[in-house]
Amino acid sequence: MATRRDERGGGNVPTAIAVTSPELVLPALDRQTPPAVVQPLPTLDESLTAMHALIEQHGYVIVLHLAPAQPEGPVDDPVLRRLHTVRSVLESDRIALLGVDLPPLGLALLAQQLRQLSVCDFSPGVLASSARLLAHYIYAGALLGSVTRLDRVPVPMKSHAKSWVPGAQFAVLANPRPQLVRVGQEELAGPEFGTRMLIAPGQPPSDWVSAELAPAWRVQGVATVPLPQESGPWWGTTKLVEFAAGLHDVSVLYQLVSSVRREMCHWCGLELIGDRCAFCAAPLPPPDQQRAIAPRAPAAVHGSTAVRALPRGAT
């Protein structure tokens, strides 16, 4: 069972979870789940002030943002540029900028899961690096009226041609395994575990996701949320209904993260799971080198003026 921070009798403040727009902040599932914050804000000064306050209050901040369509290219997203500027100006190693390769509603669901886990007894490093693990268990997709401008999921030429047929609808799964089917002819592969589904309806209205897909996936609950403003550009059309299904029980999420072996980052000294630190981006050394590298002690969370440069290659 998940251990909540307030059950341990301590005064610990949970790590702050941030997203890049208000539409990505989903309602809390219980009273213990803290809200997400939005970063960056409209101006650089506002962003700096708010981020500094978050670090002072929470110690660490995890910011989830949509992964760029071209990860290897230059950063041309003004939101992402401002986030990097904020972290650089503050010279802080307590801000994790996590580009998530999920559609907008899937990212919002992931942020909600991290918010649930933030009040458990996970360190900031484990919480941040768990995002990659949890994303594998999110089934995110959309019902689309056209796939002619869809570039995030492989689209066969035959499907491009069928987009011009009046009334054609396509069900697309972007995560965990890309899949594209024409509605009424094939089925989307769903999860083999219990999930709760979020549905963000757009235009034109359609009940296919709630009436057909949700029962086929045997979801344990359905909730309707507003369509994020990022969804249209991400999917390449405004004619869509976005959906995301994932784990919702905090005890199951807790067990999933707890089952993974923890390591120490040799650069910043934070705990992590997986092969890379989410805060400083340092990769985990090969097993034969780990004993030879002594991890550095992390800076004090509050009241510290220590500044540590990010490792080579991190941004």
Side-chain angles (χ1 to χ4, degrees):
M1 180 177 179
T3 302
R4 297 275 180 148
R5 289 179 184 268
D6 54 4
E7 292 174 353
R8 300 187 302 169
N12 294 335
V13 178
T15 299
I17 308 299
V19 291
T20 55
S21 73
E23 291 87 355
L24 299 176
V25 180
L26 297 176
L29 296 179
D30 55 54
R31 293 184 178 181
Q32 290 180 304
T33 301
V37 296
V38 176
Q39 271 286 346
L41 296 179
T43 69
L44 179 58
D45 285 345
E46 291 175 321
S47 301
L48 289 169
T49 301
M51 185 68 81
H52 178 74
L54 285 173
I55 295 172
E56 288 297 309
Q57 180 180 357
H58 295 270
Y60 291 84
V61 182
I62 301 170
V63 185
L64 300 181
H65 64 85
L66 295 172
Q70 303 294 335
E72 303 301 326
V75 178
D76 56 2
D77 182 354
V79 171
L80 188 52
R81 281 204 308 269
R82 178 164 294 174
L83 285 173
H84 282 282
T85 301
V86 167
R87 188 171 66 174
S88 297
V89 172
L90 293 178
E91 296 184 310
S92 175
D93 55 2
R94 301 187 222 147
I95 303 171
L97 303 182
L98 304 183
V100 181
D101 195 14
L102 286 171
L105 190 59
L107 183 147
L109 176 56
L110 177 61
Q112 186 183 61
Q113 293 175 339
L114 292 181
R115 289 159 54 196
Q116 290 177 271
L117 291 174
S118 70
V119 292
C120 299
D121 56 351
F122 290 126
S123 66
V126 169
L127 182 64
S129 54
S130 71
R132 290 173 60 190
L133 170 67
L134 297 176
H136 287 297
Y137 295 88
I138 292 178
Y139 281 67
L143 176 68
L144 306 178
S146 172
V147 294
T148 56
R149 296 184 179 179
L150 177 62
D151 58 5
R152 297 274 190 163
V153 178
V155 180
M157 289 302 298
K158 184 181 294 185
S159 297
H160 274 297
K162 290 180 179 178
S163 289
W164 298 99
V165 178
Q169 286 188 314
F170 300 87
V172 184
L173 192 64
N175 194 78
R177 293 172 296 277
Q179 184 184 6
L180 186 151
V181 302
R182 189 170 179 184
V183 172
Q185 296 183 358
E186 301 177 70
E187 295 184 356
L188 283 183
E192 298 180 355
F193 49 88
T195 62
R196 176 176 179 264
M197 178 177 281
L198 301 174
I199 302 175
Q203 295 295 333
S206 172
D207 62 355
W208 179 83
V209 176
S210 58
E212 301 291 338
L213 186 63
W217 283 7
R218 298 180 181 179
V219 300
Q220 299 172 344
V222 175
T224 301
V225 297
L227 185 70
Q229 64 178 3
E230 297 90 347
S231 297
W234 200 96
W235 291 104
T237 179
T238 57
K239 298 179 179 180
L240 79 155
V241 177
E242 193 170 10
F243 56 86
L247 300 167
H248 60 93
D249 188 326
V250 67
S251 63
V252 177
L253 293 167
Y254 183 89
Q255 291 173 8
L256 178 61
V257 176
S258 298
S259 66
V260 183
R261 177 178 173 176
R262 303 184 189 185
E263 307 284 355
M264 295 294 291
C265 177
H266 70 280
W267 184 266
C268 68
L270 291 177
E271 280 188 311
L272 62 92
I273 59 175
D275 59 1
R276 182 175 296 274
C277 178
F279 279 91
C280 72
L284 190 67
D288 58 341
Q289 299 180 15
Q290 290 182 23
R291 292 185 179 182
I293 302 177
R296 302 186 184 188
V301 172
H302 296 287
S304 172
T305 58
V307 174
R308 185 182 303 115
L310 295 175
R312 188 183 302 274
T315 56

mmCIF file of all heavy atoms in Angstrom, residues 240-270:
data_model
loop_
_atom_site.group_PDB
_atom_site.id
_atom_site.type_symbol
_atom_site.label_atom_id
_atom_site.label_comp_id
_atom_site.label_asym_id
_atom_site.label_seq_id
_atom_site.Cartn_x
_atom_site.Cartn_y
_atom_site.Cartn_z
ATOM 1 N N LEU A 240 -11.585 16.052 -33.987
ATOM 2 C CA LEU A 240 -11.079 14.926 -33.207
ATOM 3 C C LEU A 240 -11.796 14.784 -31.883
ATOM 4 O O LEU A 240 -12.429 15.738 -31.399
ATOM 5 C CB LEU A 240 -9.576 15.086 -32.951
ATOM 6 C CG LEU A 240 -9.139 16.040 -31.829
ATOM 7 C CD1 LEU A 240 -7.775 15.654 -31.299
ATOM 8 C CD2 LEU A 240 -9.112 17.481 -32.340
ATOM 9 N N VAL A 241 -11.696 13.599 -31.323
ATOM 10 C CA VAL A 241 -12.060 13.306 -29.942
ATOM 11 C C VAL A 241 -10.854 12.587 -29.346
ATOM 12 O O VAL A 241 -10.483 11.504 -29.803
ATOM 13 C CB VAL A 241 -13.313 12.418 -29.837
ATOM 14 C CG1 VAL A 241 -13.602 12.097 -28.368
ATOM 15 C CG2 VAL A 241 -14.515 13.085 -30.487
ATOM 16 N N GLU A 242 -10.216 13.200 -28.367
ATOM 17 C CA GLU A 242 -9.001 12.612 -27.792
ATOM 18 C C GLU A 242 -9.362 11.763 -26.578
ATOM 19 O O GLU A 242 -10.311 12.056 -25.848
ATOM 20 C CB GLU A 242 -8.017 13.720 -27.392
ATOM 21 C CG GLU A 242 -6.618 13.195 -27.081
ATOM 22 C CD GLU A 242 -5.595 14.309 -26.934
ATOM 23 O OE1 GLU A 242 -5.982 15.493 -26.880
ATOM 24 O OE2 GLU A 242 -4.397 13.986 -26.863
ATOM 25 N N PHE A 243 -8.592 10.701 -26.365
ATOM 26 C CA PHE A 243 -8.833 9.835 -25.209
ATOM 27 C C PHE A 243 -7.502 9.344 -24.650
ATOM 28 O O PHE A 243 -6.480 9.300 -25.335
ATOM 29 C CB PHE A 243 -9.720 8.631 -25.581
ATOM 30 C CG PHE A 243 -9.193 7.787 -26.710
ATOM 31 C CD1 PHE A 243 -8.280 6.761 -26.480
ATOM 32 C CD2 PHE A 243 -9.617 8.014 -28.010
ATOM 33 C CE1 PHE A 243 -7.800 5.984 -27.515
ATOM 34 C CE2 PHE A 243 -9.136 7.244 -29.069
ATOM 35 C CZ PHE A 243 -8.223 6.221 -28.816
ATOM 36 N N ALA A 244 -7.527 8.990 -23.375
ATOM 37 C CA ALA A 244 -6.346 8.437 -22.702
ATOM 38 C C ALA A 244 -6.826 7.552 -21.565
ATOM 39 O O ALA A 244 -7.711 7.941 -20.792
ATOM 40 C CB ALA A 244 -5.447 9.547 -22.173
ATOM 41 N N ALA A 245 -6.260 6.365 -21.476
ATOM 42 C CA ALA A 245 -6.622 5.420 -20.420
ATOM 43 C C ALA A 245 -5.371 5.011 -19.672
ATOM 44 O O ALA A 245 -4.321 4.768 -20.277
ATOM 45 C CB ALA A 245 -7.314 4.187 -21.012
ATOM 46 N N GLY A 246 -5.459 4.957 -18.348
ATOM 47 C CA GLY A 246 -4.291 4.597 -17.561
ATOM 48 C C GLY A 246 -4.663 4.183 -16.158
ATOM 49 O O GLY A 246 -5.836 4.223 -15.753
ATOM 50 N N LEU A 247 -3.659 3.786 -15.403
ATOM 51 C CA LEU A 247 -3.854 3.398 -14.015
ATOM 52 C C LEU A 247 -4.309 4.603 -13.199
ATOM 53 O O LEU A 247 -3.842 5.719 -13.421
ATOM 54 C CB LEU A 247 -2.547 2.837 -13.444
ATOM 55 C CG LEU A 247 -1.972 1.596 -14.152
ATOM 56 C CD1 LEU A 247 -0.546 1.343 -13.691
ATOM 57 C CD2 LEU A 247 -2.851 0.386 -13.894
ATOM 58 N N HIS A 248 -5.201 4.356 -12.248
ATOM 59 C CA HIS A 248 -5.728 5.478 -11.449
ATOM 60 C C HIS A 248 -5.654 5.231 -9.953
ATOM 61 O O HIS A 248 -5.769 6.167 -9.160
ATOM 62 C CB HIS A 248 -7.175 5.767 -11.851
ATOM 63 C CG HIS A 248 -8.101 4.598 -11.633
ATOM 64 N ND1 HIS A 248 -8.826 4.444 -10.485
ATOM 65 C CD2 HIS A 248 -8.390 3.524 -12.411
ATOM 66 C CE1 HIS A 248 -9.533 3.323 -10.567
ATOM 67 N NE2 HIS A 248 -9.284 2.748 -11.721
ATOM 68 N N ASP A 249 -5.439 3.990 -9.532
ATOM 69 C CA ASP A 249 -5.346 3.662 -8.116
ATOM 70 C C ASP A 249 -3.931 3.966 -7.634
ATOM 71 O O ASP A 249 -2.955 3.406 -8.144
ATOM 72 C CB ASP A 249 -5.676 2.182 -7.904
ATOM 73 C CG ASP A 249 -5.792 1.802 -6.434
ATOM 74 O OD1 ASP A 249 -5.049 2.378 -5.608
ATOM 75 O OD2 ASP A 249 -6.614 0.920 -6.099
ATOM 76 N N VAL A 250 -3.798 4.840 -6.656
ATOM 77 C CA VAL A 250 -2.471 5.263 -6.214
ATOM 78 C C VAL A 250 -1.675 4.106 -5.633
ATOM 79 O O VAL A 250 -0.444 4.067 -5.752
ATOM 80 C CB VAL A 250 -2.582 6.419 -5.198
ATOM 81 C CG1 VAL A 250 -3.228 5.961 -3.898
ATOM 82 C CG2 VAL A 250 -1.210 7.036 -4.920
ATOM 83 N N SER A 251 -2.344 3.110 -5.036
ATOM 84 C CA SER A 251 -1.611 1.978 -4.478
ATOM 85 C C SER A 251 -0.993 1.126 -5.581
ATOM 86 O O SER A 251 0.119 0.594 -5.417
ATOM 87 C CB SER A 251 -2.532 1.124 -3.600
ATOM 88 O OG SER A 251 -3.592 0.550 -4.359
ATOM 89 N N VAL A 252 -1.668 1.009 -6.726
ATOM 90 C CA VAL A 252 -1.118 0.271 -7.861
ATOM 91 C C VAL A 252 0.050 1.047 -8.462
ATOM 92 O O VAL A 252 1.100 0.472 -8.799
ATOM 93 C CB VAL A 252 -2.203 0.008 -8.923
ATOM 94 C CG1 VAL A 252 -1.608 -0.693 -10.144
ATOM 95 C CG2 VAL A 252 -3.328 -0.832 -8.339
ATOM 96 N N LEU A 253 -0.099 2.362 -8.609
ATOM 97 C CA LEU A 253 0.988 3.192 -9.116
ATOM 98 C C LEU A 253 2.205 3.096 -8.197
ATOM 99 O O LEU A 253 3.347 2.992 -8.657
ATOM 100 C CB LEU A 253 0.533 4.649 -9.226
ATOM 101 C CG LEU A 253 -0.553 4.953 -10.265
ATOM 102 C CD1 LEU A 253 -1.119 6.361 -10.039
ATOM 103 C CD2 LEU A 253 0.000 4.833 -11.675
ATOM 104 N N TYR A 254 1.958 3.130 -6.905
ATOM 105 C CA TYR A 254 3.032 3.055 -5.921
ATOM 106 C C TYR A 254 3.788 1.731 -6.038
ATOM 107 O O TYR A 254 5.032 1.704 -6.029
ATOM 108 C CB TYR A 254 2.451 3.221 -4.523
ATOM 109 C CG TYR A 254 3.472 3.223 -3.412
ATOM 110 C CD1 TYR A 254 4.076 4.402 -3.007
ATOM 111 C CD2 TYR A 254 3.830 2.040 -2.778
ATOM 112 C CE1 TYR A 254 5.015 4.412 -1.977
ATOM 113 C CE2 TYR A 254 4.764 2.034 -1.754
ATOM 114 C CZ TYR A 254 5.354 3.222 -1.358
ATOM 115 O OH TYR A 254 6.286 3.222 -0.357
ATOM 116 N N GLN A 255 3.056 0.637 -6.141
ATOM 117 C CA GLN A 255 3.689 -0.676 -6.249
ATOM 118 C C GLN A 255 4.508 -0.784 -7.535
ATOM 119 O O GLN A 255 5.589 -1.383 -7.549
ATOM 120 C CB GLN A 255 2.630 -1.771 -6.199
ATOM 121 C CG GLN A 255 1.963 -1.919 -4.844
ATOM 122 C CD GLN A 255 0.799 -2.897 -4.859
ATOM 123 O OE1 GLN A 255 0.568 -3.580 -5.852
ATOM 124 N NE2 GLN A 255 0.052 -2.945 -3.765
ATOM 125 N N LEU A 256 3.998 -0.208 -8.615
ATOM 126 C CA LEU A 256 4.697 -0.265 -9.896
ATOM 127 C C LEU A 256 6.049 0.429 -9.801
ATOM 128 O O LEU A 256 7.084 -0.122 -10.218
ATOM 129 C CB LEU A 256 3.840 0.377 -10.982
ATOM 130 C CG LEU A 256 4.444 0.455 -12.387
ATOM 131 C CD1 LEU A 256 4.737 -0.942 -12.930
ATOM 132 C CD2 LEU A 256 3.492 1.205 -13.326
ATOM 133 N N VAL A 257 6.068 1.632 -9.250
ATOM 134 C CA VAL A 257 7.323 2.383 -9.129
ATOM 135 C C VAL A 257 8.244 1.738 -8.099
ATOM 136 O O VAL A 257 9.466 1.659 -8.295
ATOM 137 C CB VAL A 257 7.029 3.856 -8.774
ATOM 138 C CG1 VAL A 257 8.328 4.629 -8.560
ATOM 139 C CG2 VAL A 257 6.199 4.520 -9.870
ATOM 140 N N SER A 258 7.680 1.248 -6.999
ATOM 141 C CA SER A 258 8.490 0.653 -5.940
ATOM 142 C C SER A 258 9.173 -0.634 -6.381
ATOM 143 O O SER A 258 10.187 -1.032 -5.789
ATOM 144 C CB SER A 258 7.622 0.362 -4.710
ATOM 145 O OG SER A 258 7.075 1.543 -4.174
ATOM 146 N N SER A 259 8.614 -1.291 -7.394
ATOM 147 C CA SER A 259 9.166 -2.580 -7.819
ATOM 148 C C SER A 259 10.462 -2.437 -8.621
ATOM 149 O O SER A 259 11.136 -3.431 -8.883
ATOM 150 C CB SER A 259 8.134 -3.332 -8.668
ATOM 151 O OG SER A 259 7.891 -2.653 -9.897
ATOM 152 N N VAL A 260 10.815 -1.214 -9.019
ATOM 153 C CA VAL A 260 11.999 -0.988 -9.846
ATOM 154 C C VAL A 260 13.205 -0.674 -8.962
ATOM 155 O O VAL A 260 13.100 0.089 -7.993
ATOM 156 C CB VAL A 260 11.754 0.168 -10.845
ATOM 157 C CG1 VAL A 260 12.969 0.349 -11.755
ATOM 158 C CG2 VAL A 260 10.513 -0.107 -11.679
ATOM 159 N N ARG A 261 14.327 -1.242 -9.314
ATOM 160 C CA ARG A 261 15.548 -1.020 -8.548
ATOM 161 C C ARG A 261 15.979 0.450 -8.604
ATOM 162 O O ARG A 261 15.942 1.073 -9.655
ATOM 163 C CB ARG A 261 16.675 -1.891 -9.105
ATOM 164 C CG ARG A 261 18.017 -1.689 -8.424
ATOM 165 C CD ARG A 261 19.063 -2.614 -9.011
ATOM 166 N NE ARG A 261 20.389 -2.317 -8.474
ATOM 167 C CZ ARG A 261 21.479 -3.017 -8.754
ATOM 168 N NH1 ARG A 261 21.398 -4.049 -9.570
ATOM 169 N NH2 ARG A 261 22.645 -2.680 -8.232
ATOM 170 N N ARG A 262 16.386 0.966 -7.466
ATOM 171 C CA ARG A 262 16.832 2.354 -7.380
ATOM 172 C C ARG A 262 18.350 2.440 -7.468
ATOM 173 O O ARG A 262 19.065 1.583 -6.954
ATOM 174 C CB ARG A 262 16.343 3.002 -6.084
ATOM 175 C CG ARG A 262 14.832 2.951 -5.917
ATOM 176 C CD ARG A 262 14.377 3.688 -4.682
ATOM 177 N NE ARG A 262 12.963 3.445 -4.414
ATOM 178 C CZ ARG A 262 12.271 4.040 -3.455
ATOM 179 N NH1 ARG A 262 12.859 4.926 -2.668
ATOM 180 N NH2 ARG A 262 11.002 3.748 -3.273
ATOM 181 N N GLU A 263 18.807 3.480 -8.113
ATOM 182 C CA GLU A 263 20.235 3.747 -8.250
ATOM 183 C C GLU A 263 20.513 5.160 -7.739
ATOM 184 O O GLU A 263 19.598 5.936 -7.478
ATOM 185 C CB GLU A 263 20.676 3.631 -9.713
ATOM 186 C CG GLU A 263 20.295 2.326 -10.395
ATOM 187 C CD GLU A 263 21.178 1.156 -9.975
ATOM 188 O OE1 GLU A 263 22.151 1.379 -9.220
ATOM 189 O OE2 GLU A 263 20.892 0.022 -10.413
ATOM 190 N N MET A 264 21.789 5.484 -7.618
ATOM 191 C CA MET A 264 22.190 6.833 -7.242
ATOM 192 C C MET A 264 22.856 7.497 -8.431
ATOM 193 O O MET A 264 23.721 6.908 -9.086
ATOM 194 C CB MET A 264 23.165 6.796 -6.057
ATOM 195 C CG MET A 264 22.562 6.264 -4.769
ATOM 196 S SD MET A 264 21.272 7.344 -4.098
ATOM 197 C CE MET A 264 22.271 8.739 -3.595
ATOM 198 N N CYS A 265 22.453 8.726 -8.721
ATOM 199 C CA CYS A 265 23.090 9.469 -9.806
ATOM 200 C C CYS A 265 24.509 9.838 -9.394
ATOM 201 O O CYS A 265 24.717 10.451 -8.331
ATOM 202 C CB CYS A 265 22.287 10.727 -10.127
ATOM 203 S SG CYS A 265 23.051 11.774 -11.404
ATOM 204 N N HIS A 266 25.488 9.478 -10.222
ATOM 205 C CA HIS A 266 26.883 9.753 -9.879
ATOM 206 C C HIS A 266 27.221 11.226 -10.010
ATOM 207 O O HIS A 266 28.262 11.672 -9.521
ATOM 208 C CB HIS A 266 27.825 8.935 -10.771
ATOM 209 C CG HIS A 266 27.843 9.397 -12.202
ATOM 210 N ND1 HIS A 266 26.855 9.035 -13.107
ATOM 211 C CD2 HIS A 266 28.705 10.191 -12.883
ATOM 212 C CE1 HIS A 266 27.131 9.593 -14.277
ATOM 213 N NE2 HIS A 266 28.238 10.299 -14.170
ATOM 214 N N TRP A 267 26.324 11.998 -10.674
ATOM 215 C CA TRP A 267 26.632 13.423 -10.878
ATOM 216 C C TRP A 267 26.015 14.305 -9.800
ATOM 217 O O TRP A 267 26.719 15.086 -9.149
ATOM 218 C CB TRP A 267 26.156 13.869 -12.257
ATOM 219 C CG TRP A 267 26.536 15.292 -12.558
ATOM 220 C CD1 TRP A 267 25.776 16.414 -12.363
ATOM 221 C CD2 TRP A 267 27.797 15.753 -13.042
ATOM 222 N NE1 TRP A 267 26.475 17.541 -12.709
ATOM 223 C CE2 TRP A 267 27.723 17.161 -13.133
ATOM 224 C CE3 TRP A 267 28.972 15.112 -13.428
ATOM 225 C CZ2 TRP A 267 28.782 17.928 -13.594
ATOM 226 C CZ3 TRP A 267 30.025 15.880 -13.881
ATOM 227 C CH2 TRP A 267 29.920 17.271 -13.958
ATOM 228 N N CYS A 268 24.700 14.174 -9.590
ATOM 229 C CA CYS A 268 24.029 15.070 -8.637
ATOM 230 C C CYS A 268 23.676 14.395 -7.321
ATOM 231 O O CYS A 268 23.271 15.070 -6.370
ATOM 232 C CB CYS A 268 22.776 15.687 -9.262
ATOM 233 S SG CYS A 268 21.439 14.507 -9.574
ATOM 234 N N GLY A 269 23.817 13.074 -7.250
ATOM 235 C CA GLY A 269 23.587 12.380 -5.989
ATOM 236 C C GLY A 269 22.152 12.034 -5.691
ATOM 237 O O GLY A 269 21.860 11.472 -4.624
ATOM 238 N N LEU A 270 21.224 12.325 -6.611
ATOM 239 C CA LEU A 270 19.821 11.994 -6.383
ATOM 240 C C LEU A 270 19.553 10.524 -6.705
ATOM 241 O O LEU A 270 20.249 9.912 -7.505
ATOM 242 C CB LEU A 270 18.916 12.871 -7.246
ATOM 243 C CG LEU A 270 18.853 14.359 -6.900
ATOM 244 C CD1 LEU A 270 17.957 15.093 -7.895
ATOM 245 C CD2 LEU A 270 18.333 14.564 -5.474
#
